[in-house]
Amino acid sequence: DPFVSKNGLLMMCDGVLFDVLNPRVENIKLDVIAHGLAKKDRASGQYNRVWPVAEHSLFTAYAAEYYAEQMGLAAHEVRECAIKALLHDGSEAYLVDLPRPVKHLPGFEYYRQIESDIQTCIYHWGTFYDDKYDSIVHKADNEVLKCEFLWWLNGSETLEWVKDIDVDMVKYVIGRWPGMMGVRDWRESKSLFIDTYERWDKQEYEA
């Protein structure tokens, strides 16, 4: 089939081929990440509203900021943690947002390795070279997932793990991002992602 690539090369929105089997830091671009995440809906599109991965990433970033502050981390560490959380699903810009229950099935090991290699490459692009902040990002991601399911996925109230959302975290995030509950065009989501990253990254640089 001439339409099926056998070499792992995918054309990105900037017109440049990206090698998903051999990702390189110099080929990672913020605009490509934001573009891909802003146009991919969460939960296989089953939420009762449009909620792109880009906005899930923003929610997770502010949640991570909250938890980092609660742990008493220094201001620059809080920003670093938030940036890492913002990038935590970056690999999905190049691949897809594969639901967890599918991703962890037997037979998906090679896919998970490809995703992990791309995600590591993105973290290196963002100058994250170890697992520092990973526990905070993981907690934020899970707490955000609980909120998303409870708010926007019919029937999720029957799932035991969805209960007891962190209300204080949600209040903090809405205070930091008052328009979170609004529905946006994908271009707005993309701009929000880029602007938030650049704002935090500039603070890191200036610090």
Side-chain angles (χ1 to χ4, degrees), residues 96-181:
V96 295
D97 179 20
L98 196 61
R100 288 189 196 182
V102 176
K103 187 188 300 183
H104 293 280
L105 285 172
F108 282 81
E109 293 86 359
Y110 189 43
Y111 179 87
R112 293 198 299 270
Q113 186 59 57
I114 292 171
E115 182 184 64
S116 177
D117 290 345
I118 295 174
Q119 188 59 50
T120 297
C121 189
I122 290 170
Y123 279 150
H124 287 178
W125 170 83
T127 66
F128 297 104
Y129 302 107
D130 54 34
D131 61 359
K132 186 178 182 181
Y133 309 126
D134 281 3
S135 62
I136 302 175
V137 172
H138 184 66
K139 175 179 175 59
D141 191 25
N142 284 337
E143 291 297 328
V144 164
L145 180 63
K146 286 163 60 176
C147 293
E148 292 175 355
F149 267 49
L150 188 62
W151 296 340
W152 303 319
L153 187 61
N154 296 333
S156 62
E157 67 278 359
T158 64
L159 302 174
E160 187 64 33
W161 61 268
V162 172
K163 298 173 184 176
D164 300 320
I165 65 172
D166 190 338
V167 176
D168 290 335
M169 177 274 287
V170 173
K171 288 179 179 178
Y172 175 89
V173 173
I174 292 177
R176 294 282 283 128
W177 182 18
M180 182 179 78
M181 292 298 190

Coordinates of all heavy atoms in Angstrom, one line a residue, residues 96-181:
V96 N -1.5 9.7 19.2 CA -3.0 10.0 19.5 C -3.1 9.9 21.0 O -2.2 9.5 21.8 CB -3.9 8.8 18.9 CG1 -3.8 8.9 17.4 CG2 -3.4 7.5 19.4
D97 N -4.3 10.3 21.5 CA -4.7 10.2 22.9 C -5.3 8.9 23.1 O -6.6 8.8 23.0 CB -5.6 11.4 23.3 CG -6.0 11.3 24.8 OD1 -5.3 10.6 25.6 OD2 -7.0 11.9 25.2
L98 N -4.5 7.9 23.3 CA -5.0 6.5 23.4 C -5.5 6.3 24.9 O -4.7 6.5 25.8 CB -4.0 5.5 23.1 CG -4.4 4.0 22.8 CD1 -5.3 4.0 21.6 CD2 -3.1 3.2 22.6
P99 N -6.8 5.9 25.1 CA -7.3 5.8 26.4 C -6.5 4.8 27.2 O -6.0 3.7 26.7 CB -8.7 5.3 26.2 CG -9.1 5.8 24.8 CD -7.8 5.7 24.1
R100 N -6.3 5.0 28.5 CA -5.5 4.2 29.4 C -5.9 2.7 29.4 O -5.0 1.8 29.3 CB -5.5 4.7 30.8 CG -4.8 6.0 31.1 CD -4.7 6.2 32.6 NE -4.4 7.6 32.9 CZ -4.2 8.1 34.1 NH1 -4.4 7.3 35.1 NH2 -3.9 9.4 34.3
P101 N -7.2 2.4 29.4 CA -7.6 1.0 29.5 C -7.1 0.2 28.2 O -7.0 -1.0 28.2 CB -9.1 1.0 29.6 CG -9.4 2.3 30.2 CD -8.4 3.3 29.6
V102 N -7.0 0.9 27.1 CA -6.5 0.3 25.8 C -5.0 0.3 25.8 O -4.4 -0.7 25.5 CB -7.1 1.1 24.6 CG1 -6.5 0.5 23.3 CG2 -8.6 1.0 24.6
K103 N -4.4 1.4 26.1 CA -2.9 1.6 26.1 C -2.2 0.5 26.9 O -1.1 0.1 26.5 CB -2.5 3.0 26.5 CG -1.0 3.3 26.3 CD -0.7 4.6 27.0 CE -1.4 5.8 26.5 NZ -1.0 7.0 27.1
H104 N -2.8 0.1 28.0 CA -2.1 -0.9 28.8 C -2.5 -2.3 28.6 O -2.2 -3.2 29.4 CB -2.3 -0.4 30.3 CG -1.6 0.8 30.6 ND1 -0.2 0.9 30.8 CD2 -2.0 2.1 30.7 CE1 0.1 2.2 31.0 NE2 -0.9 2.9 30.9
L105 N -3.2 -2.6 27.5 CA -3.5 -4.0 27.2 C -2.3 -4.7 26.7 O -1.4 -4.1 26.1 CB -4.6 -4.0 26.1 CG -6.0 -3.6 26.5 CD1 -6.9 -3.5 25.2 CD2 -6.6 -4.7 27.4
P106 N -2.2 -6.0 26.8 CA -1.2 -6.8 26.2 C -1.2 -6.6 24.7 O -2.2 -6.5 24.1 CB -1.5 -8.2 26.5 CG -2.4 -8.1 27.7 CD -3.2 -6.9 27.6
G107 N 0.0 -6.5 24.1 CA 0.1 -6.2 22.7 C 0.4 -4.8 22.3 O 0.8 -4.5 21.2
F108 N 0.3 -3.9 23.3 CA 0.5 -2.5 23.1 C 1.9 -2.0 23.6 O 2.2 -0.8 23.7 CB -0.6 -1.6 23.7 CG -1.9 -1.6 22.9 CD1 -2.8 -2.6 23.0 CD2 -2.1 -0.5 22.0 CE1 -3.9 -2.6 22.3 CE2 -3.3 -0.5 21.3 CZ -4.2 -1.6 21.4
E109 N 2.7 -3.0 23.9 CA 4.1 -2.6 24.5 C 4.9 -1.8 23.5 O 5.5 -0.8 24.0 CB 4.8 -3.9 24.8 CG 4.2 -4.7 26.0 CD 3.1 -5.7 25.5 OE1 2.8 -5.7 24.3 OE2 2.6 -6.4 26.3
Y110 N 4.9 -2.1 22.3 CA 5.7 -1.4 21.3 C 5.2 0.1 21.1 O 6.0 1.0 21.1 CB 5.7 -2.1 20.0 CG 6.7 -1.5 19.0 CD1 8.0 -1.1 19.3 CD2 6.4 -1.3 17.6 CE1 8.9 -0.6 18.4 CE2 7.3 -0.8 16.7 CZ 8.5 -0.4 17.1 OH 9.4 0.1 16.2
Y111 N 3.9 0.2 21.1 CA 3.3 1.5 21.1 C 3.7 2.4 22.3 O 4.1 3.5 22.2 CB 1.8 1.5 21.0 CG 1.1 2.8 20.9 CD1 0.9 3.5 19.7 CD2 0.7 3.5 22.1 CE1 0.4 4.8 19.7 CE2 0.2 4.8 22.1 CZ 0.0 5.4 20.8 OH -0.5 6.7 20.8
R112 N 3.6 1.7 23.5 CA 4.0 2.5 24.7 C 5.4 2.9 24.7 O 5.8 3.9 25.2 CB 3.7 1.6 25.9 CG 2.2 1.3 26.2 CD 1.9 0.9 27.6 NE 2.6 -0.4 27.9 CZ 2.1 -1.6 27.7 NH1 0.9 -1.7 27.2 NH2 2.7 -2.7 28.1
Q113 N 6.3 2.0 24.1 CA 7.7 2.4 24.0 C 7.9 3.6 23.1 O 8.7 4.5 23.4 CB 8.5 1.2 23.5 CG 10.0 1.4 23.6 CD 10.5 1.8 24.9 OE1 10.4 1.0 25.9 NE2 11.2 2.9 25.1
I114 N 7.2 3.6 21.9 CA 7.3 4.7 21.0 C 6.9 6.0 21.7 O 7.5 7.0 21.6 CB 6.5 4.4 19.7 CG1 7.1 3.3 18.9 CG2 6.4 5.7 18.9 CD1 6.2 2.8 17.8
E115 N 5.7 5.9 22.4 CA 5.2 7.1 23.1 C 6.1 7.5 24.1 O 6.4 8.8 24.3 CB 3.8 6.7 23.7 CG 3.2 7.9 24.4 CD 1.9 7.5 25.1 OE1 2.0 6.6 26.0 OE2 0.8 8.0 24.7
S116 N 6.7 6.6 24.9 CA 7.6 7.0 26.0 C 8.9 7.6 25.4 O 9.4 8.6 26.0 CB 8.0 5.7 26.7 OG 9.0 6.0 27.7
D117 N 9.4 7.1 24.3 CA 10.6 7.7 23.7 C 10.3 9.2 23.2 O 11.2 10.0 23.4 CB 11.1 6.9 22.5 CG 11.7 5.5 22.9 OD1 11.9 5.4 24.1 OD2 11.8 4.7 22.1
I118 N 9.2 9.4 22.6 CA 8.8 10.7 22.2 C 8.6 11.7 23.4 O 9.1 12.8 23.4 CB 7.5 10.7 21.3 CG1 7.8 9.9 20.0 CG2 7.1 12.2 21.0 CD1 6.6 9.8 19.1
Q119 N 8.0 11.1 24.4 CA 7.7 12.0 25.6 C 9.1 12.3 26.3 O 9.2 13.5 26.7 CB 6.8 11.2 26.6 CG 6.4 12.1 27.8 CD 5.6 13.3 27.3 OE1 4.7 13.3 26.5 NE2 6.0 14.5 27.8
T120 N 10.0 11.4 26.4 CA 11.3 11.7 26.9 C 12.0 12.7 26.1 O 12.6 13.6 26.7 CB 12.1 10.4 27.0 OG1 11.5 9.4 27.8 CG2 13.6 10.7 27.5
C121 N 11.9 12.6 24.8 CA 12.5 13.6 23.9 C 11.9 15.0 24.2 O 12.6 16.0 24.2 CB 12.3 13.2 22.5 SG 13.2 14.2 21.3
I122 N 10.6 15.1 24.4 CA 9.9 16.4 24.6 C 10.4 16.9 26.0 O 10.7 18.1 26.1 CB 8.4 16.2 24.6 CG1 7.9 15.9 23.2 CG2 7.7 17.4 25.2 CD1 6.5 15.5 23.1
Y123 N 10.5 16.1 27.0 CA 11.0 16.5 28.3 C 12.4 17.1 28.2 O 12.8 18.1 28.8 CB 10.9 15.4 29.3 CG 9.6 15.2 29.9 CD1 9.2 13.9 30.3 CD2 8.7 16.2 30.1 CE1 7.9 13.7 30.9 CE2 7.5 16.0 30.7 CZ 7.1 14.8 31.1 OH 5.9 14.6 31.7
H124 N 13.3 16.4 27.4 CA 14.6 16.9 27.2 C 14.6 18.2 26.5 O 15.4 19.1 26.8 CB 15.5 15.8 26.4 CG 15.8 14.6 27.2 ND1 16.5 13.6 26.7 CD2 15.5 14.3 28.5 CE1 16.7 12.6 27.6 NE2 16.1 13.0 28.7
W125 N 13.7 18.4 25.5 CA 13.6 19.7 24.8 C 13.2 20.8 25.9 O 13.7 21.9 25.8 CB 12.5 19.6 23.8 CG 12.1 20.9 23.2 CD1 12.7 21.5 22.2 CD2 11.0 21.7 23.6 NE1 12.0 22.7 21.9 CE2 11.0 22.8 22.7 CE3 10.0 21.5 24.5 CZ2 10.0 23.8 22.8 CZ3 9.0 22.5 24.6 CH2 9.0 23.6 23.8
G126 N 12.4 20.4 26.8 CA 12.0 21.3 27.9 C 13.0 21.4 29.0 O 12.7 22.0 30.1
T127 N 14.2 20.7 28.9 CA 15.3 20.7 29.8 C 14.9 20.0 31.1 O 15.3 20.3 32.2 CB 15.9 22.1 30.2 OG1 14.9 22.9 30.8 CG2 16.3 22.8 28.9
F128 N 14.1 18.9 31.0 CA 13.8 18.0 32.1 C 14.5 16.7 31.8 O 14.2 16.0 30.9 CB 12.3 17.8 32.2 CG 11.5 19.0 32.6 CD1 10.8 19.7 31.6 CD2 11.5 19.6 33.8 CE1 10.1 20.8 31.9 CE2 10.8 20.7 34.1 CZ 10.1 21.4 33.1
Y129 N 15.5 16.4 32.6 CA 16.4 15.2 32.4 C 16.2 14.1 33.4 O 16.9 13.1 33.3 CB 17.8 15.7 32.3 CG 18.1 16.7 31.2 CD1 18.3 18.0 31.6 CD2 18.0 16.4 29.9 CE1 18.5 19.0 30.6 CE2 18.2 17.3 28.9 CZ 18.5 18.7 29.3 OH 18.7 19.6 28.3
D130 N 15.4 14.3 34.4 CA 15.2 13.2 35.4 C 13.7 13.2 35.8 O 12.9 13.8 35.2 CB 16.1 13.5 36.6 CG 15.9 14.9 37.2 OD1 14.8 15.4 37.2 OD2 16.9 15.5 37.7
D131 N 13.5 12.4 36.9 CA 12.1 12.2 37.3 C 11.6 13.2 38.3 O 10.6 13.0 39.0 CB 11.9 10.8 37.8 CG 12.7 10.4 39.0 OD1 13.5 11.3 39.4 OD2 12.6 9.3 39.5
K132 N 12.4 14.2 38.5 CA 12.0 15.3 39.5 C 10.6 15.8 39.1 O 10.4 16.1 37.9 CB 13.0 16.4 39.6 CG 12.7 17.4 40.6 CD 13.8 18.5 40.7 CE 13.6 19.5 41.8 NZ 14.6 20.6 41.8
Y133 N 9.7 16.0 40.0 CA 8.4 16.5 39.8 C 7.4 15.4 39.2 O 6.2 15.7 39.2 CB 8.3 17.7 38.8 CG 9.3 18.8 39.2 CD1 10.2 19.3 38.3 CD2 9.3 19.4 40.5 CE1 11.1 20.4 38.6 CE2 10.2 20.4 40.8 CZ 11.0 20.9 39.9 OH 11.9 21.9 40.2
D134 N 7.9 14.3 38.8 CA 7.0 13.3 38.2 C 5.9 12.9 39.1 O 4.7 12.7 38.7 CB 7.8 12.0 37.8 CG 8.5 12.3 36.5 OD1 8.5 13.4 35.9 OD2 9.2 11.3 36.0
S135 N 6.2 12.7 40.4 CA 5.1 12.3 41.4 C 4.0 13.4 41.5 O 2.8 13.0 41.6 CB 5.7 12.0 42.7 OG 6.3 13.1 43.3
I136 N 4.4 14.6 41.4 CA 3.5 15.7 41.5 C 2.6 15.8 40.2 O 1.4 15.9 40.3 CB 4.2 17.1 41.8 CG1 5.0 17.0 43.0 CG2 3.1 18.2 41.8 CD1 5.8 18.3 43.3
V137 N 3.3 15.6 39.1 CA 2.6 15.7 37.8 C 1.6 14.5 37.7 O 0.5 14.7 37.3 CB 3.6 15.6 36.6 CG1 2.8 15.5 35.3 CG2 4.5 16.9 36.6
H138 N 2.0 13.3 38.2 CA 1.2 12.2 38.2 C -0.1 12.4 39.0 O -1.2 12.0 38.6 CB 1.9 10.9 38.6 CG 1.2 9.7 38.5 ND1 0.8 9.1 37.3 CD2 0.7 8.8 39.5 CE1 0.1 8.0 37.5 NE2 0.0 7.8 38.8
K139 N 0.1 12.9 40.2 CA -1.0 13.2 41.1 C -1.9 14.2 40.5 O -3.2 14.0 40.5 CB -0.5 13.7 42.5 CG -1.6 14.2 43.4 CD -1.1 14.6 44.7 CE -2.2 15.2 45.6 NZ -3.2 14.2 46.0
A140 N -1.4 15.3 39.9 CA -2.2 16.3 39.3 C -3.0 15.7 38.1 O -4.2 16.0 38.0 CB -1.3 17.5 38.8
D141 N -2.4 14.9 37.3 CA -3.0 14.3 36.2 C -4.2 13.4 36.6 O -5.3 13.4 36.0 CB -2.0 13.4 35.4 CG -2.5 13.0 34.0 OD1 -3.4 13.6 33.5 OD2 -2.0 11.9 33.5
N142 N -4.0 12.6 37.6 CA -5.1 11.7 38.1 C -6.2 12.5 38.8 O -7.4 12.2 38.6 CB -4.5 10.7 39.1 CG -3.7 9.6 38.5 OD1 -3.9 9.3 37.3 ND2 -2.8 9.0 39.2
E143 N -5.9 13.6 39.5 CA -6.9 14.4 40.1 C -7.8 15.1 39.0 O -9.0 15.2 39.1 CB -6.3 15.4 41.1 CG -5.8 14.8 42.3 CD -6.8 14.0 43.2 OE1 -8.0 14.5 43.2 OE2 -6.4 13.0 43.9
V144 N -7.1 15.6 38.0 CA -7.8 16.2 36.9 C -8.7 15.2 36.1 O -9.8 15.5 35.7 CB -6.7 16.9 35.9 CG1 -7.4 17.2 34.6 CG2 -6.1 18.1 36.6
L145 N -8.2 14.0 35.9 CA -9.0 13.0 35.3 C -10.2 12.7 36.0 O -11.3 12.5 35.4 CB -8.1 11.7 35.1 CG -8.8 10.5 34.4 CD1 -9.2 10.9 33.0 CD2 -8.0 9.3 34.5
K146 N -10.2 12.6 37.4 CA -11.4 12.4 38.2 C -12.4 13.6 38.0 O -13.6 13.3 37.8 CB -11.0 12.4 39.7 CG -10.3 11.1 40.1 CD -9.6 11.2 41.4 CE -10.5 11.6 42.5 NZ -9.7 11.7 43.8
C147 N -11.9 14.8 37.9 CA -12.8 15.9 37.7 C -13.5 15.8 36.3 O -14.7 16.0 36.2 CB -12.0 17.2 37.8 SG -11.4 17.6 39.4
E148 N -12.7 15.5 35.3 CA -13.2 15.5 33.9 C -14.3 14.4 33.8 O -15.3 14.6 33.2 CB -12.1 15.2 32.9 CG -11.1 16.3 32.8 CD -9.9 15.9 31.9 OE1 -9.8 14.8 31.5 OE2 -9.0 16.8 31.7
F149 N -14.0 13.2 34.4 CA -15.0 12.1 34.3 C -16.3 12.5 35.1 O -17.4 12.4 34.5 CB -14.4 10.9 35.0 CG -13.7 10.0 34.0 CD1 -12.8 10.5 33.0 CD2 -14.0 8.6 33.9 CE1 -12.2 9.6 32.1 CE2 -13.4 7.7 33.0 CZ -12.5 8.3 32.1
L150 N -16.1 13.1 36.3 CA -17.3 13.4 37.0 C -18.2 14.5 36.4 O -19.4 14.4 36.4 CB -16.9 13.8 38.5 CG -18.1 14.0 39.5 CD1 -18.8 12.7 39.7 CD2 -17.5 14.5 40.8
W151 N -17.5 15.5 35.8 CA -18.2 16.6 35.2 C -18.8 16.3 33.8 O -19.9 16.7 33.5 CB -17.2 17.8 35.0 CG -16.7 18.4 36.3 CD1 -17.3 18.2 37.6 CD2 -15.6 19.2 36.5 NE1 -16.5 18.9 38.5 CE2 -15.5 19.5 37.8 CE3 -14.6 19.7 35.6 CZ2 -14.4 20.3 38.3 CZ3 -13.6 20.5 36.1 CH2 -13.5 20.8 37.5
W152 N -18.1 15.5 33.0 CA -18.4 15.4 31.6 C -18.6 14.1 31.0 O -18.8 13.9 29.8 CB -17.3 16.2 30.8 CG -17.1 17.6 31.2 CD1 -18.1 18.5 31.6 CD2 -15.8 18.3 31.4 NE1 -17.5 19.7 31.9 CE2 -16.1 19.6 31.8 CE3 -14.5 17.9 31.2 CZ2 -15.2 20.5 32.1 CZ3 -13.5 18.9 31.5 CH2 -13.8 20.1 31.9
L153 N -18.5 13.0 31.8 CA -18.7 11.7 31.2 C -19.9 11.0 31.9 O -19.8 10.7 33.1 CB -17.4 10.8 31.4 CG -17.4 9.4 30.7 CD1 -17.6 9.6 29.2 CD2 -16.2 8.7 31.0
N154 N -20.9 10.7 31.2 CA -22.1 10.1 31.7 C -21.8 8.7 32.3 O -21.1 7.9 31.7 CB -23.2 10.0 30.6 CG -23.7 11.3 30.1 OD1 -23.6 12.3 30.8 ND2 -24.1 11.4 28.8
G155 N -22.3 8.5 33.5 CA -22.2 7.2 34.1 C -20.9 7.1 35.0 O -20.8 6.1 35.7
S156 N -20.1 8.1 34.9 CA -18.8 8.0 35.7 C -19.0 8.0 37.2 O -18.1 7.6 37.9 CB -17.8 9.1 35.2 OG -18.4 10.3 35.5
E157 N -20.2 8.5 37.6 CA -20.4 8.6 39.0 C -20.5 7.2 39.7 O -20.4 7.1 40.9 CB -21.7 9.4 39.3 CG -23.0 8.7 38.8 CD -23.3 8.9 37.4 OE1 -22.5 9.6 36.7 OE2 -24.3 8.4 36.9
T158 N -20.6 6.2 38.8 CA -20.7 4.8 39.4 C -19.3 4.2 39.6 O -19.1 3.2 40.2 CB -21.4 3.9 38.4 OG1 -20.7 3.8 37.1 CG2 -22.8 4.4 38.1
L159 N -18.3 4.9 39.1 CA -16.9 4.5 39.3 C -16.4 4.9 40.6 O -16.3 6.1 40.9 CB -16.0 5.0 38.2 CG -16.4 4.7 36.7 CD1 -15.6 5.4 35.7 CD2 -16.4 3.2 36.5
E160 N -15.9 4.0 41.4 CA -15.4 4.3 42.8 C -14.3 5.3 42.8 O -14.3 6.2 43.7 CB -15.0 3.0 43.5 CG -14.7 3.2 45.0 CD -15.9 3.6 45.8 OE1 -17.0 3.2 45.5 OE2 -15.7 4.3 46.8
W161 N -13.4 5.2 41.9 CA -12.2 6.1 41.9 C -12.5 7.5 41.5 O -11.6 8.4 41.7 CB -11.1 5.5 41.1 CG -11.4 5.4 39.6 CD1 -11.9 4.3 39.0 CD2 -11.2 6.4 38.6 NE1 -12.1 4.5 37.6 CE2 -11.7 5.8 37.4 CE3 -10.7 7.7 38.6 CZ2 -11.7 6.5 36.2 CZ3 -10.7 8.4 37.4 CH2 -11.2 7.8 36.2
V162 N -13.7 7.8 41.0 CA -14.0 9.1 40.5 C -14.4 10.0 41.7 O -14.4 11.2 41.6 CB -15.1 9.0 39.4 CG1 -15.6 10.4 39.0 CG2 -14.6 8.3 38.2
K163 N -14.8 9.4 42.8 CA -15.4 10.2 43.9 C -14.3 11.0 44.6 O -13.1 10.8 44.4 CB -16.1 9.2 44.8 CG -17.3 8.5 44.2 CD -17.9 7.5 45.1 CE -19.0 6.7 44.3 NZ -19.5 5.6 45.2
D164 N -14.7 11.9 45.4 CA -13.9 12.7 46.3 C -12.8 13.5 45.5 O -11.6 13.4 45.6 CB -13.1 11.8 47.2 CG -14.0 11.0 48.2 OD1 -15.0 11.6 48.6 OD2 -13.8 9.8 48.4
I165 N -13.4 14.4 44.6 CA -12.5 15.3 43.8 C -11.9 16.3 44.8 O -12.5 16.6 45.8 CB -13.2 16.0 42.7 CG1 -14.3 16.9 43.1 CG2 -13.7 14.9 41.7 CD1 -14.9 17.7 42.0
D166 N -10.7 16.8 44.5 CA -10.0 17.8 45.3 C -10.6 19.2 45.1 O -10.2 19.9 44.1 CB -8.5 17.8 45.0 CG -7.7 18.6 46.0 OD1 -8.3 19.5 46.7 OD2 -6.5 18.3 46.2
V167 N -11.6 19.6 45.9 CA -12.3 20.9 45.7 C -11.4 22.0 45.8 O -11.4 23.0 45.0 CB -13.5 21.0 46.6 CG1 -14.1 22.3 46.5 CG2 -14.5 19.9 46.4
D168 N -10.4 22.0 46.8 CA -9.5 23.1 47.0 C -8.6 23.3 45.7 O -8.3 24.4 45.3 CB -8.6 22.8 48.2 CG -9.4 22.9 49.5 OD1 -10.5 23.6 49.5 OD2 -9.0 22.3 50.5
M169 N -8.2 22.2 45.1 CA -7.4 22.3 43.9 C -8.2 22.9 42.8 O -7.7 23.8 42.1 CB -6.9 20.9 43.5 CG -6.1 20.9 42.2 SD -7.1 20.7 40.7 CE -7.6 19.0 40.8
V170 N -9.4 22.5 42.6 CA -10.3 23.0 41.6 C -10.5 24.5 41.8 O -10.4 25.3 40.8 CB -11.6 22.3 41.5 CG1 -12.6 23.0 40.5 CG2 -11.5 20.8 41.1
K171 N -10.7 25.0 43.0 CA -10.9 26.4 43.3 C -9.6 27.2 42.9 O -9.7 28.3 42.3 CB -11.3 26.6 44.7 CG -12.7 26.2 45.1 CD -12.9 26.4 46.6 CE -14.3 26.0 47.0 NZ -14.5 26.2 48.5
Y172 N -8.5 26.6 43.2 CA -7.2 27.2 42.9 C -7.1 27.4 41.4 O -6.7 28.5 40.9 CB -6.1 26.4 43.5 CG -4.7 26.9 43.1 CD1 -4.0 27.9 43.9 CD2 -4.1 26.5 41.9 CE1 -2.8 28.4 43.5 CE2 -2.8 27.0 41.5 CZ -2.2 27.9 42.3 OH -1.0 28.4 41.9
V173 N -7.3 26.3 40.7 CA -7.2 26.3 39.2 C -8.1 27.3 38.6 O -7.7 28.1 37.7 CB -7.4 24.9 38.6 CG1 -7.4 25.0 37.1 CG2 -6.3 24.0 39.1
I174 N -9.4 27.4 39.0 CA -10.3 28.3 38.4 C -9.9 29.8 38.7 O -10.1 30.7 37.9 CB -11.7 28.0 38.9 CG1 -12.2 26.7 38.3 CG2 -12.7 29.1 38.5 CD1 -13.6 26.2 38.8
G175 N -9.3 29.9 39.9 CA -8.8 31.3 40.3 C -7.6 31.7 39.3 O -7.5 32.9 39.0
R176 N -6.8 30.7 38.9 CA -5.7 31.0 38.1 C -6.1 31.0 36.6 O -5.5 31.7 35.8 CB -4.6 29.9 38.2 CG -3.9 29.9 39.6 CD -2.9 31.0 39.7 NE -1.7 30.6 39.0 CZ -1.0 31.3 38.1 NH1 -1.5 32.5 37.7 NH2 0.1 30.9 37.6
W177 N -7.2 30.3 36.3 CA -7.6 30.2 34.9 C -9.2 30.4 34.9 O -9.9 29.4 34.8 CB -7.2 28.9 34.3 CG -7.6 28.7 32.9 CD1 -8.0 29.6 31.9 CD2 -7.7 27.4 32.2 NE1 -8.3 29.0 30.7 CE2 -8.1 27.7 30.8 CE3 -7.4 26.1 32.5 CZ2 -8.2 26.7 29.9 CZ3 -7.6 25.1 31.6 CH2 -8.0 25.4 30.3
P178 N -9.6 31.6 35.1 CA -11.1 31.9 35.3 C -11.9 31.4 34.1 O -13.1 31.0 34.3 CB -11.2 33.4 35.4 CG -9.8 33.8 35.9 CD -8.9 32.9 35.2
G179 N -11.4 31.3 32.9 CA -12.2 30.9 31.7 C -12.1 29.4 31.5 O -12.5 29.0 30.4
M180 N -11.7 28.6 32.4 CA -11.4 27.2 32.1 C -12.7 26.5 31.6 O -12.6 25.6 30.7 CB -10.9 26.5 33.4 CG -10.6 25.0 33.2 SD -10.0 24.1 34.7 CE -11.5 23.9 35.6
M181 N -13.8 26.8 32.2 CA -15.0 26.0 31.8 C -15.6 26.5 30.5 O -16.6 25.9 30.0 CB -16.1 26.2 32.9 CG -15.7 25.5 34.2 SD -15.5 23.7 34.0 CE -15.4 23.2 35.7

